[in-house]
Amino acid sequence: MSRADIFRTLGDPTRLRIFALVAREELAVGEVQDIVGLGQSTVSGHLAQLRAAGLVTARRDGAHTRYTAARPEGQDALYQLLASEPLPEGDALALRRVLAERTAPTPEGLGSDYLPGRSWEALARMLLSLLPPLRIADLGVGTGHLTSLLAAGARHVIAIDRDESALSRLPASIERRVGTLEDLPLGEREVDLVLISQALHCVNDPVATLRRCRDALAGGGQIAVLDLAPHTHAWVRHRLGHQHLGFADLAGLLRDAGFHDVRQEIVHVDRRAPAFTTILATGRK
Ligand SMILES: C[S@@+](CC[C@H](N)C(=O)[O-])C[C@H]1O[C@@H](n2cnc3c(N)ncnc32)[C@H](O)[C@@H]1O
């Protein structure tokens, strides 16, 4: 590369500015962008021209490519002169900030699978947004978390629980009915979808409850039951009122209640003690 080519390449004030930066520190494209305040394609374009002129080299470092100034062959004196080009005050400050950010501690305890912005609630909302506008009955609402999520896209949500205080926490758009899973306060064919999440184990005769659910569904309506796989934690009887220590064959219970297209699968295995396994069973009227 001749001196004339080098001067031509650095004749552009932005390229000279970027060269002066990478002559001081090895920087990733994002860092250069952050300092000079230009878009990614502009900065990448300038770096590509500096590379073509032999004024910059690139090094792959994990997900990043880092750039640093290089001495074009036989141009040591010129390189020294160019590399000592003073940085504009704003660039010098921004460079210091970018370098400090590199070593800034990341928040503790995030875990290796942490992803900024990901949450189960956000994922659930995305999937629920795909549901057609159904009439949904949610049996046994607990904290009301699931029930409240459903309210966003459903045509109508009926929440049923024997505990009035659980119902009182729900948003006003949800219809609340105090009642039991044994004597379900739902009319014939009143809903399109029945959900029972972690509540069926509280009833003595689950098949009788599932039959009542079937009656409450319109033709073609669906039921989805989340419950526990068989376990040996007898403390859930007196602490949480469970009558069954999980279910070995939720699908069989749904078939006994008259549902068809029945499916059952394990949807969660909790790795933390007491390590319950969660089963999802679905069926259609
Ligand atoms: C573990 S919570 C369910 C939580 C909620 N469905 C969820 O998945 O986040 C169980 C709920 O069922 C209610 N429940 C238990 N047995 C019931 C019964 N026989 N009839 C009506 N509600 C019952 C309790 O009051 C409680 O609100």
Side-chain angles (χ1 to χ4, degrees):
M1 177 77 37
S2 71
R3 284 189 163 213
D5 290 330
I6 292 171
F7 282 127
R8 233 189 315 279
T9 306
L10 292 177
D12 179 283
T14 306
R15 269 200 294 283
L16 184 59
R17 206 176 148 200
I18 292 174
F19 175 78
L21 283 167
V22 294
R24 281 172 182 69
E25 287 292 338
E26 187 186 46
L27 295 169
V29 178
E31 292 173 325
V32 177
Q33 269 178 259
D34 199 354
I35 296 168
V36 298
L38 293 170
Q40 195 248 328
S41 60
T42 307
V43 168
S44 294
H46 285 309
L47 282 166
Q49 291 194 48
L50 289 166
R51 270 182 88 178
L55 287 160
V56 152
T57 57
R59 177 180 70 88
R60 195 85 199 146
D61 177 17
H64 300 284
T65 302
R66 299 192 184 279
Y67 296 86
T68 191
R71 280 164 210 266
E73 240 181 79
Q75 303 289 358
D76 282 11
L78 178 60
Y79 173 83
Q80 289 300 343
L81 180 74
L82 294 169
S84 58
E85 167 79 12
L87 286 182
E89 196 183 335
D91 285 6
L93 275 173
L95 177 63
R96 274 207 293 282
R97 175 178 52 75
V98 160
L99 295 179
E101 278 166 9
R102 272 189 196 170
T103 51
T106 47
E108 293 293 321
L110 292 177
S112 58
D113 64 348
Y114 173 76
L115 186 70
R118 180 174 60 190
S119 76
W120 286 113
E121 176 164 345
L123 292 172
R125 276 174 175 263
M126 180 175 77
L127 295 176
L128 285 170
S129 75
L130 303 174
L131 274 184
L134 301 173
R135 297 166 299 166
I136 304 174
D138 184 23
L139 316 189
V141 299
T143 58
H145 211 76
L146 169 67
T147 331
S148 304
L149 282 176
L150 291 169
R155 190 165 125 204
H156 187 58
V157 178
I158 302 169
I160 297 171
D161 205 292
R162 64 184 172 194
D163 177 1
E164 215 171 334
S165 66
L167 294 171
S168 70
R169 292 189 288 266
L170 297 173
S173 62
I174 292 171
E175 184 183 338
R176 308 140 200 213
R177 295 187 188 171
V178 181
T180 66
L181 271 72
E182 291 82 354
D183 186 16
L184 218 47
L186 280 173
E188 300 259 317
R189 300 168 181 271
E190 196 181 354
V191 292
D192 309 300
L193 175 64
V194 170
L195 300 176
I196 316 179
S197 168
Q198 304 301 349
L200 193 64
H201 49 231
C202 291
V203 303
N204 182 41
D205 184 350
V207 174
T209 292
L210 295 174
R211 277 202 194 101
R212 281 289 299 112
C213 293
R214 190 176 174 281
D215 293 341
L217 282 168
Q222 285 179 286
I223 187 166
V225 184
L226 276 179
D227 216 293
L228 302 172
H231 63 87
T232 54
H233 298 288
W235 55 268
V236 300
R237 290 191 193 278
H238 64 270
R239 282 263 302 266
L240 303 171
H242 293 199
Q243 303 216 30
H244 300 268
L245 298 185
F247 294 108
D249 186 14
L250 262 180
L253 301 182
L254 284 174
R255 282 192 199 96
D256 290 349
F259 285 96
H260 61 88
D261 292 349
V262 170
R263 288 185 198 171
Q264 169 174 324
E265 61 179 317
I266 290 174
V267 287
H268 183 64
V269 179
D270 201 343
R271 292 193 186 86
R272 295 162 308 171
F276 288 104
T277 293
T278 305
I279 294 175
L280 168 67
T282 56
R284 189 179 289 280
K285 177 167 176 178

